[in-house]
C-alpha cells in the first residue's frame, strides 16, 4: 500500500492535526507493514498559488515560461504524481476561518487536473481518481458538527467532501477534533475522541 501523508497546519509542534495525522499514518503502517509513505508538508514547504501561465500550460495553450514558472510546473507535476500513485491519502487539515488553509488549497489546485483526475463529458464531469481511500484529520476551535448552531459555517468538511467527490472519491473519512480552543479539558477530550476514531479507521 502506498500512503500519501499531507500536513497543512501552520502551528508546527502545537498542531492537533499534525499529531492526529501522524498517529493515523502510524496505525496504517502497523496494520500494513509493507506500506510505503510519501510525506509532504505544504505549510513548511508551501506551494505557490496557481498562476495564469501554469494554468495555460495545463490546458495546452501557449504561455511564457520563465524559470520560476518552469520550476512551479515541475513541482506541480511531482505533487500530481504523488497523488495518483497513492492508494490511501491522509491529510491533516485544521479549520481556518471556516475552511481549509490556503496552503492546502494550493495543493488541491495541483491535484485537480483535467484529463488526469477528472474530465468533462457530454453528460457532465467525471472523476478519474476513484478507488483511493482519503482520511482527513480535521480540527476546529469550536463546534461545527451536525446539529450544532455553527453547522452552517462549516465550509471545511463540505468543501473537502465535494472536492474529492468531484475527483471520483466518494468515501471521504473524517477524524474530527472539535472544541480545541474551549479550554484544556475540552481540548484533551477532543484529542482522545479523535485517537479512538483513528484506531477504528486504521
Amino acid at each position: 500500500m502506498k500512503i500519501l501523508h499531507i500536513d497543512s497546519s501552520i502551528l508546527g509542534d502545537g498542531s492537533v492535526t499534525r499529531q492526529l495525522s501522524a498517529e493515523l499514518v502510524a496505525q496504517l503502517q502497523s496494520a500494513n507493514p509493507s506500506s510505503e509513505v510519501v510525506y509532504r508538508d505544504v505549510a513548511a514547504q508551501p506551494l505557490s498559488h496557481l498562476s495564469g501561465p501554469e494554468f495555460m500550460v495545463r490546458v495546452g495553450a501557449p504561455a511564457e515560461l520563465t524559470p520560476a514558472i518552469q520550476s512551479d510546473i515541475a513541482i506541480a507535476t511531482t505533487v500530481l504524481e504523488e497523488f495518483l500513485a497513492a492508494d490511501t491519502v491522509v491529510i491533516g487539515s485544521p479549520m481556518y476561518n471556516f475552511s481549509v488553509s490556503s496552503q492546502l488549497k494550493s495543493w488541491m489546485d495541483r491535484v485537480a487536473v483535467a484529463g488526469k483526475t477528472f474530465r468533462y463529458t457530454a453528460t457532465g464531469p467525471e472523476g478519474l481518481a476513484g478507488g483511493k481511500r482519503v482520511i482527513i484529520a480535521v480540527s476546529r476551535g469550536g463546534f461545527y458538527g451536525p446539529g450544532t448552531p455553527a453547522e452552517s459555517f462549516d465550509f471545511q468538511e463540505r468543501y473537502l467532501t465535494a472536492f474529492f467527490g468531484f475527483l471520483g472519491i466518494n468515501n471521504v473519512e473524517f477524524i474530527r477534533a472539535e472544541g480545541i480552543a474551549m479550554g484544556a479539558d475540552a481540548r484533551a477530550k477532543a484529542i482522545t475522541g479523535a485517537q479512538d476514531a483513528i484506531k477504528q479507521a486504521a
Side-chain angles (χ1 to χ4, degrees), residues 161-174:
T161 299
F163 175 82
F164 286 109
F166 184 79
L167 302 187
I169 304 168
N170 297 312
N171 184 24
V172 181
E173 303 166 56
F174 290 98

Side-chain angles (χ1 to χ4, degrees), residues 152-195:
S152 63
F153 287 85
D154 176 13
F155 300 101
Q156 178 193 36
E157 289 190 18
R158 282 190 288 163
Y159 175 44
L160 290 165
T161 299
F163 175 82
F164 286 109
F166 184 79
L167 302 187
I169 304 168
N170 297 312
N171 184 24
V172 181
E173 303 166 56
F174 290 98
I175 305 295
R176 188 182 298 120
E178 289 199 302
I180 60 170
M182 309 295 285
D185 289 344
R187 179 187 177 95
K189 182 179 179 180
I191 292 174
T192 299
Q195 289 170 329

Side-chain angles (χ1 to χ4, degrees), residues 51-58 61-73:
S51 67
E54 184 182 339
F55 179 78
M56 296 303 286
V57 169
R58 278 191 187 184
E64 182 179 351
L65 300 183
T66 65
I69 294 299
Q70 290 177 328
S71 176
D72 286 345
I73 291 172

Side-chain angles (χ1 to χ4, degrees), residues 18-32:
R18 286 178 181 273
Q19 175 186 342
L20 296 178
S21 70
E23 291 181 13
L24 179 52
V25 169
Q27 290 275 1
L28 290 170
Q29 285 184 289
S30 178
N32 303 272

Side-chain angles (χ1 to χ4, degrees), residues 77-95:
T77 300
T78 299
V79 168
L80 177 60
E81 289 174 348
E82 289 171 352
F83 178 72
L84 291 174
D87 302 301
T88 299
V89 182
V90 173
I91 301 174
S93 174
M95 176 186 275

